Amino acid sequence: TLPKGVSYNAYLINDDKTAIIDTIKSGNLSDYIERLTSVLPEGRGIDYLIVNHMEPDHSGSIRMLRHLYPEMKIVGNKKTVEMIDAFYRITENIIEVKEGDVLDLGHHKVTFAMIPMVHWPESMVTYDATEKVLFSTDAFGGFSALEGGIFDDELDMVHYEYEILRYFANIVGRYAAPTQKAIAKVRVLQPKIICPAHGPIHRTNPWHIVDLYDKWSRHETDEGVVVVYGSMYGNTKFMTDAIARSISEAGIKDVFVHDVSRDNLSFMVADIWRYKGLVLGSCTYNTEL
Ligand SMILES: Cc1cc2nc3c(=O)[nH]c(=O)nc-3n(C[C@H](O)[C@H](O)[C@H](O)COP(=O)(O)O)c2cc1C
Ligand SMILES: [Fe+2]
Ligand SMILES: [Fe+2]
């Protein structure tokens, strides 16, 4: 569930050669094309479409872009190239790249690093080595639409942090070990700006988001307890309230109580990921929990 929405960030490098980095869902295509053409210089087409990730929220516009810009070369790694064929039946005008390959756009020289399983097997990042800008796809992303501010210095990151955590815990979290490997690569690249495919762009404090992802993917937790319960007639709920109260009396300030039949699972997963303690309360019905 996305009560605050989610942003799909697609990027354009406007150089001697033009390159799009990832696209968006096909449903929002007309908005996307309008914005794209409004920033492209008069008469310019698209030379390259770099595909970091094949999930349809990012790759959904590939076919339409190919129709609009038939000369455009699609750039992806070996797995991506196979998936582009399987998903969209596109096999021509494709450049296959591997770790460390360089694509020269003029001023900007971009390179590629594989981050498998963050979030799919083909996931990779694109790094503009000239300007030190990392296009990190799902890595370092977060839920919530961008409500005015786009860059980290234009918005209050504290407001976005919970939705970034909820995204991490529900989308990337199960791939904690691959995330650690991706972070190690990013530390070597030393980007000045991190541009994820969802959520704010980190240009003032890129290490803040890396540190958050690092902490969460190392399973480092904050002091606090999450209490999750299910109750039909209220007895388990009664016990849960007593337990939550006693945790509080023991001096723990962050105590979050979730009713499994009412709260959305993604919020519970986010809280459980963040805090050290977890209490599960269930009653017994027909010998099952
Ligand atoms: C239909 C039904 C089946 C139950 N089955 C079991 C059971 O298999 N084992 C058990 O120990 N208690 C069983 N109970 C007792 C409940 O677990 C007990 O009443 C519990 O306090 C209910 O918790 P709640 O008020 O949070 O819903 C059952 C109760 C009902 C109404
Ligand atoms: Fe994804
Ligand atoms: Fe995504």
Side-chain angles (χ1 to χ4, degrees):
T1 178
L2 294 168
K4 291 183 72 66
V6 61
S7 70
Y8 297 101
N9 309 340
Y11 299 94
L12 169 71
I13 299 179
N14 210 343
D15 202 339
D16 295 342
K17 298 281 183 188
T18 52
I20 293 175
I21 300 168
D22 287 324
T23 69
I24 54 152
K25 271 185 178 177
S26 58
N28 301 59
L29 198 66
S30 59
D31 263 12
Y32 172 63
I33 299 295
E34 212 156 287
R35 288 191 195 186
L36 178 63
T37 47
S38 77
V39 290
L40 268 180
E42 193 67 31
R44 288 295 298 277
I46 298 295
D47 296 302
Y48 300 104
L49 165 59
I50 299 169
V51 182
N52 280 333
H53 181 25
M54 277 300 288
E55 199 173 0
D57 54 341
H58 308 293
S59 74
S61 308
I62 290 182
R63 278 177 85 108
M64 188 53 77
L65 281 170
R66 179 39 79 75
H67 283 299
L68 284 171
Y69 303 106
E71 304 295 306
M72 175 187 81
K73 292 186 170 57
I74 300 174
V75 180
N77 61 48
K78 189 173 189 303
K79 286 182 199 142
T80 307
V81 171
E82 286 165 11
M83 289 164 92
I84 290 172
D85 181 13
F87 283 33
Y88 305 115
R89 293 275 171 255
I90 296 174
T91 53
E92 272 160 41
N93 234 351
I94 288 186
I95 300 176
E96 190 179 307
V97 291
K98 54 184 190 317
E99 182 94 18
D101 281 359
V102 176
L103 182 67
D104 190 345
L105 301 174
H107 173 67
H108 301 265
K109 322 279 182 220
V110 302
T111 180
F112 309 97
M114 306 305 139
I115 55 160
M117 296 322 293
V118 189
H119 150 234
W120 275 9
E122 83 298 355
S123 291
M124 72 173 190
V125 297
T126 297
Y127 185 56
D128 173 358
T130 312
E131 297 292 341
K132 293 187 165 292
V133 181
L134 180 73
F135 300 94
S136 63
T137 184
D138 279 352
F140 312 121
F143 288 145
S144 180
L146 297 170
E147 299 175 322
I150 294 174
F151 298 97
D152 55 353
D153 49 87
E154 295 177 338
L155 46 81
D156 186 350
M157 271 300 286
V158 175
H159 287 173
Y160 282 84
E161 210 168 290
Y162 184 77
E163 283 293 273
I164 294 174
L165 165 69
R166 197 164 68 89
Y167 168 95
F168 173 85
N170 287 278
I171 307 283
V172 182
R174 75 179 65 179
Y175 310 114
T179 302
Q180 279 290 305
K181 286 187 190 153
I183 289 170
K185 285 191 183 183
V186 169
R187 292 205 192 280
V188 173
L189 294 173
Q190 287 287 315
K192 283 194 182 137
I193 302 176
I194 295 181
C195 302
H198 307 282
I201 295 170
H202 306 271
R203 69 176 174 189
T204 297
N205 195 359
W207 297 108
H208 178 63
I209 190 73
V210 176
D211 289 344
L212 282 178
Y213 264 64
D214 189 17
K215 174 183 166 180
W216 294 330
S217 58
R218 278 189 285 107
H219 301 277
E220 203 180 281
T221 50
D222 294 344
E223 184 170 280
V225 179
V226 184
V227 182
V228 177
Y229 74 93
S231 182
M232 182 84 94
Y233 301 110
N235 297 302
T236 310
K237 181 178 190 306
F238 183 82
M239 284 161 65
T240 300
D241 288 341
I243 290 167
R245 179 68 196 138
S246 62
I247 294 167
S248 166
E249 281 170 352
I252 310 285
K253 287 197 172 143
D254 281 320
V255 183
F256 295 93
V257 178
H258 289 286
D259 176 350
V260 279
S261 59
R262 190 193 61 205
D263 295 359
N264 183 274
L265 189 63
S266 67
F267 293 91
M268 297 181 222
V269 169
D271 285 347
I272 291 167
W273 202 286
R274 177 161 179 189
Y275 292 106
K276 194 181 268 176
L278 171 64
V279 176
L280 296 174
S282 172
C283 44
T284 317
Y285 287 113
N286 301 330
T287 69
E288 289 180 0
L289 290 179

